[in-house]
Amino acid sequence: MNEKMGFSLLELTFVIVVLSILAMFAIPEYTKTHREAKIAVLNDLRGKLTNAVDTLKTASNIESRKQTIDDQSYVQYDAGQYYQVAGKLLHPSEICHILGLTIAQLAKGVAVTSIDGMYTCKYENLNTSWIKMNKLESTDCALSYAASYSNSIITAVDINLVGDCLEQ
């Protein structure tokens, strides 16, 4: 009645080696796919922001949607919500507000976490704002909103992913 129970040290070592080899291939692939998915989310936000900027530009042509408060121009984009513009284009302080990530426009130089905690938004200066996805493996990947001015009126905006999110 001398029966062996359990695994030998050799069998356990073999299983650990096989699992290690599988992990060596699976973990980097998972990380890459996870990162690419998050970058796709930022690309989706880029499309939504581009659409919002274009819609707001059109709304700027309707006099009943314009409003001036403290020498700042605002345009109604959706039901009862006004966004600051400089000319007919969205002011950089409004990028997260118009996407519904924050409840108000951004203060200059202050990083703000979105309502759901997934994003960080910052209005850097008169020309630049950005949105970063929290917990993205690459901390240098962001959605950038860069404005070009002429006499305090925005003449063009550039909405792009910047940083190392484009590297493979």
Side-chain angles (χ1 to χ4, degrees):
M1 287 209 77
N2 195 4
E3 291 183 27
K4 284 185 174 180
M5 304 249 341
F7 298 101
S8 70
L9 185 58
L10 184 61
E11 291 170 327
L12 288 174
T13 304
F14 179 73
V15 169
I16 290 171
V17 168
V18 169
L19 289 175
S20 299
I21 291 170
L22 288 174
M24 189 171 64
F25 293 105
I27 291 173
E29 195 60 36
Y30 169 77
T31 304
K32 179 182 173 190
T33 303
H34 191 71
R35 185 172 179 271
E36 287 173 354
K38 289 183 177 183
I39 292 170
V41 170
L42 284 175
N43 262 324
D44 181 54
L45 276 181
R46 177 184 176 205
K48 289 177 182 177
L49 185 56
T50 301
N51 185 44
V53 167
D54 291 342
T55 303
L56 191 64
K57 188 175 180 181
T58 302
S60 295
N61 293 321
I62 303 169
E63 284 300 317
S64 64
R65 290 190 170 202
K66 294 180 184 178
Q67 191 178 98
T68 303
I69 303 170
D70 297 329
D71 294 327
Q72 301 293 324
S73 299
Y74 293 84
V75 173
Q76 183 180 11
Y77 170 72
D78 50 17
Q81 191 66 51
Y82 285 83
Y83 300 96
Q84 186 178 353
V85 295
K88 293 185 177 186
L89 292 170
L90 185 69
H91 191 274
S93 65
E94 294 279 18
I95 65 167
C96 285
H97 186 208
I98 202 162
L99 291 172
L101 301 177
T102 59
I103 56 173
Q105 70 186 99
L106 302 170
K108 188 175 181 180
V110 179
V112 177
T113 301
S114 64
I115 297 165
D116 61 6
M118 290 182 59
Y119 305 94
T120 298
C121 305
K122 188 171 183 184
Y123 168 39
E124 291 274 336
N125 55 46
L126 198 56
N127 296 20
T128 309
S129 290
W130 52 256
I131 301 170
K132 287 185 180 179
M133 190 168 201
N134 295 337
K135 299 179 183 172
L136 184 63
E137 285 78 13
S138 164
T139 56
D140 293 330
C141 179
L143 175 62
S144 170
Y145 184 88
S148 302
Y149 289 83
S150 175
N151 299 327
S152 73
I153 294 175
I154 299 175
T155 56
V157 293
D158 189 24
I159 305 169
N160 283 314
L161 290 182
V162 295
D164 64 358
C165 50
L166 301 177
E167 297 174 4
Q168 295 299 325

